[in-house]
């Protein structure tokens, strides 16, 4: 039933030595453990991304050009934000099918308020985002308080918000706004000075180093094997290399795009919320086991409502970035495609559909994979219809991998199985009286 | 060990709990004193786990009176009971498999510094608590999905002990353990009892109960069916109360009426 446990008299020092002595095996064990907490994690998506970039670069030497990569860094933001909101919902083990429609509705709301009613852009943005946040909270309330399955609530909402968007836009179904305004600038503005991109790269590297050192200290405090200084330095150097390379590439075109900067800040900020605050811990706990969370005294309904509100809010922000690209809001962009792409991004990046495993960074990674495919195929002149089929195929592969990983967890580890005790031990009554 | 004059740590009277048409508990009463281990026995489906959940506030009773150290209290929410000093180890679903040991121990009572989780302090406290318990957990940063069943059991117990409770409810804690681990756990229960905790221990194994319990309360079909002194009652008599061969409900009720007085 269980591995023999060493006598519990061995002290802290012994245990640390024992753990360090495990070397490579210990490292692999640690990786396997991370897999248990975080799902498949980012490794498959990183490999896929390298493969995709290599293949497209071979097929078309423009693929890795500064111009194309810079455009890619802006193109990912709209869908990436929607996917980031979905990560919250997926962490609960739930789904929000309304994000595509909600993003369209809030963009339409912004355009109508701004263009037709003359509301200032900042105020119209605020209204649009607040409306989507309220809509998300409403979905969450109906799910958490009335017990309607999340897919049903959000499916109905998707239809409703899509209809409302059409009604708002009226006859022509499209509405253009100022292409020099605040919202248009979200995706058109670049920080041209090279120092901007390099400072961001330096900041990211520094913060990564501090976070890794803090985590290592916390591990040492709890008597756990901690990453060595060398390992932290190596990982920081790797990240720094990527960050500075990206900065150099962006600087060869128009500099650091505002959209990409905002996306990074939002993803990093929300990752901090999920992993370093009690609220984030509650989100993960609910994805692990609702019953355990309830017994621990967590306010399950409040967390659920808040998560759907986050999803709605980020869908709205994503919708504004999508509209910003063309300074137009239209019915043409099908919400279903937005939805599927956002789900695909989150899952491809390593967030599990089954709850409790994933990070906001998976939205960034996953959307990079999806947009890279889209951008590469556009360069090669492959029709959009075929792109859809390929995106769906990638999503399917990611979902299958996620399901297989879950199956492996359930069959190989006692702790992953929630109902670990057989029920009804009444038959043992008399026999236990030795 | 305890003076009869002091009010019990926890006294329940007239507790009812139904799940739809199922009467899981009917007019149940129970007393637990500090420094005492009360065993609860009963056939499968007798309502033992429901009793634990009622006391812990996770499945509040439909009716019933609760007194904590003589004072009437309401056990309607998990954090109320935790604040009183009641902690439970449930029979099932004890831990979040995706959180690490520290995250599970502190779930719902995280230590924060400037609004941010204080992982260092939580890790240190986890380490020192687990080091005092009889199963070794080498890595408290491991997700509990990677632990063996005896380690899981001890993490659940550690989680319950974290808030330094005065009353500990253990629902079949020995079920997933081998003989040596069972004796480790029972040693721990005795140590806690000697520290002055009240312990409610649910077990199907008469051996466990003979080893640590002072009294046995038997539940049958959701009703009391007698309270016995472990040291003086032949265990055949306890078994027959569990299986329903004897009906102690009436004598039990009379005895209590005398104790509480008119
Ligand atoms: N959440 C629930 N919903 C419906 N019925 C339940 C629930 N919990 C327990 N019961 C029923 O209540 C009775 C007592 O169950 P339980 O307290 O688990 O018994 P025990 O722990 O003594 O085996 C059983 O008939 C069981 O089916
Ligand atoms: Mg039970």
């Amino acid at each position: 039933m269980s591995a023999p446990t060493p006598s519990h008299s061995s002290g802290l020092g012994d245990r640390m030595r024992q753990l360090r002595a495990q070397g490579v095996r210990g490292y692999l064990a640690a990786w396997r453990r991370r897999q248990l907490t975080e799902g498949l994690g980012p490794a498959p998506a990183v490999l896929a991304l390298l493969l995709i970039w290599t293949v497209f670069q071979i097929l078309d030497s423009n693929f890795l050009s500064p111009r194309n990569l810079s455009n890619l860094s802006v193109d990912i933001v709209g869908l990436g934000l929607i996917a980031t909101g979905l990560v919250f919902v997926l962490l609960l083990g739930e789904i929000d099918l309304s994000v595509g429609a909600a993003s369209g509705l809030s963009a339409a709301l912004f355009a109508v308020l701004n263009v037709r009613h003359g509301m200032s852009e900042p105020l119209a943005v605020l209204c649009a985002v607040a409306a989507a946040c309220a809509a998300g909270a409403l979905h969450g309330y109906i799910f958490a308080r009335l017990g309607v399955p999340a897919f049903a609530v959000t499916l109905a909402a998707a239809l409703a918000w899509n209809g409302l968007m059409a009604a708002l836009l009226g006859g022509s179904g499209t509405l253009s706004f100022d292409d020099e305004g605040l919202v248009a600038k979200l995706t058109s503005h670049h920080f041209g000075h090279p120092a901007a991109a390099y400072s961001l790269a330096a900041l990211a590297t520094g913060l990564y180093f501090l976070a890794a050192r803090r985590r290592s200290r916390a591990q040492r405090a709890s008597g756990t094997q901690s990453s060595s200084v060398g390992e932290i330095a190596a990982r920081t150097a790797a990240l720094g290399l990527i960050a500075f390379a990206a900065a150099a590439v962006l600087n060869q075109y128009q500099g650091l795009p505002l959209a990409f900067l905002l996306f990074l800040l939002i993803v990093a900020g929300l990752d901090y919320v999920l992993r370093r605050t009690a609220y984030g811990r509650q989100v993960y706990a609910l994805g692990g086991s609702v019953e355990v969370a309830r017994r621990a005294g967590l306010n399950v309904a409040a967390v659920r409502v808040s998560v759907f509100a986050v999803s709605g809010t980020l869908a709205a922000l994503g919708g504004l970035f999508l509209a910003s690209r063309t300074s137009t809001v239209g019915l043409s962009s099908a919400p279903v495609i937005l939805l599927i792409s956002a789900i695909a991004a989150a899952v491809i990046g390593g967030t599990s559909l089954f709850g409790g495993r994933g990070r906001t960074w998976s939205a960034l990674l996953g959307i990079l994979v999806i947009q890279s495919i889209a951008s590469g195929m556009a360069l090669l002149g492959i029709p959009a219809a075929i792109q859809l089929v390929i995106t769906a195929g990638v999503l399917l592969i990611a979902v299958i991998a996620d399901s297989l990983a879950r199956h492996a967890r359930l069959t190989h580890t006692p702790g992953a199985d929630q109902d670990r005790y057989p029920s009804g031990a009444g038959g043992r009554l008399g026999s236990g009286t030795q | 060990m305890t003076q009869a004059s002091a009010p019990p740590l926890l006294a329940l009277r007239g507790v009812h709990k139904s799940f739809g048409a199922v009467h899981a508990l009917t007019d149940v009463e129970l007393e637990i004193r500090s420094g005492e281990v009360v065993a609860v026995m009963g056939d499968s489906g007798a309502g033992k786990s429901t009793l634990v959940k009622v006391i812990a506030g996770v499945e509040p009773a439909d009716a019933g009176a609760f007194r904590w150290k003589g004072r009437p209290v309401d056990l309607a929410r998990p954090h109320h009971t935790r604040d009183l000093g009641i902690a439970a180890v449930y029979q099932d679903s004890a831990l979040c498999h995706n959180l690490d040991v520290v995250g599970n121990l502190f779930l719902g009572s995280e230590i924060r510094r400037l609004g941010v989780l204080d992982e260092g302090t939580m890790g240190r406290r986890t380490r020192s608590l687990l080091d005092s318990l009889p199963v070794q957990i080498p890595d408290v940063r491991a997700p509990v999905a990677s632990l063996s069943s005896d380690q899981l059991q001890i993490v659940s117990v550690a989680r319950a002990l974290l808030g330094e409770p005065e009353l500990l409810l253990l629902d079949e804690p020995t079920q997933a353990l081998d003989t040596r681990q069972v004796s480790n756990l029972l040693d721990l229960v005795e140590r806690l009892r000697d520290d002055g905790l009240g312990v409610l221990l649910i077990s199907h194994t008469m051996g466990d109960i003979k080893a640590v319990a002072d009294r046995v309360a038997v539940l049958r079909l959701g009703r009391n069916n007698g309270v016995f002194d472990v040291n003086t009652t032949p265990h055949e008599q306890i078994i027959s109360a569990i299986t329903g061969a004897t009906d102690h409900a009436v004598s039990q009720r009379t005895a209590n009426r005398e104790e509480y007085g008119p």
Side-chain angles (χ1 to χ4, degrees):
Chain A
M1 167 185 53
S2 60
T5 42
S7 93
H8 95 284
S9 58
S10 69
L12 187 79
D14 285 354
R15 197 166 39 236
M16 300 272 290
R17 260 189 299 281
Q18 187 185 322
L19 279 165
R20 283 202 197 290
Q22 288 170 351
V24 175
R25 261 185 49 210
Y27 195 81
L28 283 179
W31 182 78
R32 163 121 184 85
R33 278 204 311 271
R34 262 206 311 281
Q35 209 183 315
L36 288 168
T37 31
E38 292 172 11
L40 276 177
V46 171
L47 291 179
L49 195 61
L50 288 177
L51 184 73
I52 290 163
W53 284 18
T54 311
V55 169
F56 280 127
Q57 178 65 16
I58 292 168
L59 292 177
D60 185 327
S61 60
N62 275 329
F63 184 75
L64 292 181
S65 67
R67 180 194 155 88
N68 201 44
L69 288 179
S70 178
N71 281 335
L72 187 65
S73 79
V74 177
D75 282 335
I76 59 172
V77 176
L79 268 172
L81 286 170
I82 301 176
T84 306
L86 265 176
V87 167
F88 275 69
V89 180
L90 292 177
L91 280 177
L92 293 186
E94 302 295 339
I95 190 78
D96 185 346
L97 299 176
S98 72
V99 289
S103 73
L105 175 64
S106 31
L109 194 58
F110 158 78
V112 168
L113 288 176
N114 174 239
V115 177
R116 297 223 181 107
H117 298 276
M119 190 184 272
S120 74
E121 283 206 41
L123 197 58
V125 166
L126 211 64
C127 287
V129 174
C133 177
L138 178 67
H139 308 155
Y141 183 86
I142 295 172
F143 159 63
R145 284 278 175 210
L146 308 183
V148 182
F151 87 87
V153 181
T154 54
L155 189 61
L159 197 60
W161 302 149
N162 207 30
L164 198 56
M165 177 187 181
L168 270 179
L169 290 175
S172 72
T174 57
L175 191 56
S176 294
F177 51 89
D178 180 9
D179 62 5
E180 295 285 318
L182 174 83
V183 170
K185 283 224 163 66
L186 283 178
T187 52
S188 66
H189 186 76
H190 292 66
F191 298 100
H193 198 292
Y198 287 125
S199 318
L200 180 65
L203 184 72
T205 312
L207 285 178
Y208 179 82
F209 177 72
L210 290 179
R213 222 184 42 174
R214 184 200 56 79
R215 195 166 48 239
S216 160
R217 269 211 216 104
Q219 282 170 339
R220 230 171 308 136
S222 45
T224 302
Q225 183 180 31
S226 58
S227 324
S228 66
V229 181
E231 192 188 327
I232 293 177
R235 283 207 251 145
T236 306
L239 181 93
L241 200 68
I242 296 172
F244 278 92
V249 170
L250 292 174
N251 279 339
Q252 278 181 45
Y253 187 55
Q254 292 179 332
L256 175 66
L258 172 65
F260 188 56
L261 172 68
L262 292 174
F263 183 37
L264 286 180
L265 290 178
I266 290 172
V267 168
L270 291 177
D271 187 60
Y272 190 84
V273 168
L274 280 177
R275 306 195 34 105
R276 301 283 327 268
T277 68
Y279 170 73
R281 185 59 52 82
Q282 297 183 352
V283 173
Y284 280 102
L286 245 62
S289 164
V290 175
E291 184 57 20
V292 171
R294 193 176 73 84
R295 289 179 190 176
L298 306 195
N299 189 341
V300 173
V303 176
R304 285 176 161 167
V305 170
S306 72
V307 161
F308 278 86
V310 167
S311 173
T313 306
L314 284 167
L317 291 174
L320 290 170
F321 276 89
L322 288 170
S324 162
R325 255 338 218 163
T326 53
S327 311
T328 307
V329 180
L331 282 172
S332 51
S333 53
V336 177
I337 296 175
L338 294 183
L339 170 68
I340 304 279
S341 306
I343 295 176
V347 178
I348 289 167
T351 292
S352 173
L353 282 176
F354 301 101
R357 293 177 170 80
R359 297 181 63 168
T360 52
W361 292 106
S362 62
L364 170 65
L365 195 55
I367 199 64
L368 262 178
V369 169
I370 288 184
Q371 285 292 341
S372 296
I373 295 175
S375 149
M377 289 194 296
L379 275 183
L380 296 178
I382 297 173
I386 303 297
Q387 292 181 28
L388 284 184
V389 175
I390 295 191
T391 304
V394 176
L395 171 61
L396 191 62
I397 293 171
V399 170
I400 290 172
D402 181 29
S403 304
L404 292 178
R406 173 170 185 265
H407 185 73
R409 270 198 307 274
L410 290 181
T411 47
H412 296 311
T413 54
D417 186 355
Q418 292 194 17
D419 306 306
R420 56 200 160 91
Y421 299 124
S423 59
R428 286 172 51 206
L429 257 181
S431 63
T433 57
Q434 51 289 71
Chain B
M1 188 163 291
T2 44
Q3 309 96 315
S5 56
L9 186 59
L10 180 70
L12 332 175
R13 298 200 66 188
V15 171
H16 289 263
K17 178 73 189 176
S18 302
F19 296 103
V22 180
H23 297 286
L25 296 175
T26 307
D27 198 18
V28 168
E29 48 195 35
L30 186 73
E31 280 186 11
I32 306 163
R33 296 176 180 277
S34 297
E36 178 189 49
V37 179
V38 176
V40 173
M41 295 191 84
D43 233 329
S44 197
K48 307 179 297 295
S49 296
T50 305
L51 184 62
V52 164
K53 290 175 192 165
V54 163
I55 297 175
V58 304
E59 296 282 2
D62 301 331
F66 304 91
R67 283 175 176 274
W68 179 256
K69 299 174 180 170
R71 190 166 51 85
V73 288
D74 176 26
L75 304 178
R77 279 171 179 279
H79 57 263
H80 289 170
T81 61
R82 186 175 62 210
D83 293 347
L84 282 177
I86 300 175
V89 175
Y90 301 97
Q91 190 176 2
D92 54 4
S93 300
L95 303 167
C96 284
H97 53 86
N98 60 329
L99 298 183
D100 64 15
V101 175
V102 181
N104 268 291
L105 249 61
F106 283 89
L107 183 62
S109 51
E110 293 85 0
I111 299 177
R112 276 173 270 190
R113 203 174 50 192
L114 306 173
V116 174
L117 295 176
D118 185 351
E119 298 285 0
T121 306
M122 290 195 285
R124 261 189 301 278
R125 282 193 51 193
T126 301
R127 190 70 265 164
S128 67
L129 178 59
L130 286 174
D131 282 345
S132 70
L133 296 178
V135 175
Q136 204 192 26
I137 315 275
D139 184 357
V140 298
R141 290 292 164 189
V144 298
S146 65
L147 301 183
S148 62
S149 26
D150 59 322
Q151 290 175 323
L152 290 171
Q153 190 63 54
I154 216 71
V155 170
S156 305
V157 173
R159 172 168 163 73
L161 293 178
L162 188 72
E164 299 184 348
E166 292 182 71
L167 173 60
L168 181 63
L169 315 169
L170 299 170
D171 193 351
E172 308 205 18
T174 58
Q175 209 173 55
L177 307 182
D178 67 25
T179 319
R180 194 179 57 80
Q181 293 159 350
V182 167
S183 86
N184 281 340
L185 189 83
L186 296 180
D187 286 349
L188 174 66
V189 168
E190 287 198 308
R191 205 178 84 204
L192 296 170
R193 190 250 323 265
D194 294 344
D195 289 347
L197 268 75
V199 179
L200 186 157
L201 173 69
I202 294 179
S203 176
H204 280 293
T205 313
M206 193 59 85
D208 299 353
I209 292 191
K210 289 270 180 197
V212 292
D214 301 298
R215 293 185 295 134
V216 184
V218 173
L219 285 181
R220 173 155 174 75
L221 304 176
R223 294 174 180 272
N224 286 104
N225 201 21
V227 178
F228 306 91
D229 185 319
V230 174
N231 299 311
T232 58
T233 316
H235 72 239
E236 292 77 11
Q237 192 182 337
I238 299 177
I239 303 273
S240 64
I242 293 167
T243 57
T246 53
D247 189 347
H248 289 264
V250 177
S251 55
Q252 162 76 18
R253 193 130 337 128
T254 331
N256 272 301
R257 189 127 325 128
E258 282 160 13
E259 195 176 302
Y260 280 94

